[in-house]
Amino acid sequence: MSKTTVVIPNYNGIKYIDDCLSSLYQGSVVPEIIVVDNGSADESPSLVREKYGRARMICFEENTGFSKAVNVGIRAAETEYVLLLNNDTVADERMVEELEKAQSYIFLEYFIISESTMWWEILNVLESKAQEGVDVR
């Protein structure tokens, strides 16, 4: 079982959300997923409900903005860690696994990942900590 919840804010993301969720569910560690929809007028909420029934949906009637969406998602999370992910991100299959491994070593409470952050950057942090004498096994 994953120690991570991924919170994904969504607004009219029909073009992106399927690839994003598919990549997370194909990962080596499958996180809890909360999609916070900001009043989308497209079919993205329906797609999430129909194709990704395991994902929890929180839906607003109108666009409340990024900050409110992610804060509501964070409060709804029930896991040890929360990862904020944009709906246009396709995750590497080992992303959650490597982030959880890194979290246990460097004691981070939250990861904020953009599409440009890759799991091997976390490995670089681990290597750096090991060089400082921190046990990263």
Side-chain angles (χ1 to χ4, degrees):
M1 174 151 207
S2 178
K3 299 185 279 186
T4 303
T5 296
V6 175
V7 174
I8 304 168
N10 181 63
Y11 179 70
N12 292 329
I14 192 74
K15 183 170 142 181
Y16 308 109
I17 196 74
D18 192 23
D19 289 340
C20 179
L21 292 173
S22 177
S23 70
L24 290 169
Y25 281 115
Q26 291 175 23
S28 58
V29 173
V30 177
E32 297 296 317
I33 296 173
I34 299 174
V35 176
V36 183
D37 188 77
N38 257 330
S40 292
D42 66 6
E43 295 299 315
S44 55
S46 296
L47 182 141
V48 173
R49 282 190 199 95
E50 291 168 16
K51 193 168 179 182
Y52 301 99
R54 290 175 46 196
R56 288 193 317 187
M57 286 284 299
I58 298 171
C59 295
F60 294 116
E61 293 292 319
E62 61 186 20
N63 189 345
T64 61
F66 176 85
S67 296
K68 182 169 183 177
V70 296
N71 281 312
V72 166
I74 290 168
R75 285 197 279 301
E78 298 175 356
T79 56
E80 187 174 352
Y81 304 111
V82 176
L83 165 67
L84 305 180
L85 198 66
N86 289 340
N87 65 354
D88 63 349
T89 302
V90 175
D92 182 276
E93 65 185 16
R94 291 181 44 210
M95 181 187 73
V96 174
E97 174 188 355
E98 295 298 329
L99 290 173
E100 286 186 359
K101 198 181 301 180
Q103 288 169 356
S104 66
Y105 298 131
I106 54 179
F107 310 106
L108 294 177
E109 291 293 324
Y110 297 99
F111 276 105
I112 301 176
I113 302 297
S114 71
E115 59 189 290
S116 64
T117 305
M118 301 296 174
W119 61 266
W120 54 82
E121 291 178 280
I122 301 301
L123 294 178
N124 290 337
V125 170
L126 292 175
E127 288 175 9
S128 174
K129 291 291 181 187
Q131 290 174 355
E132 294 171 12
V134 176
D135 183 4
V136 295
R137 289 178 285 144

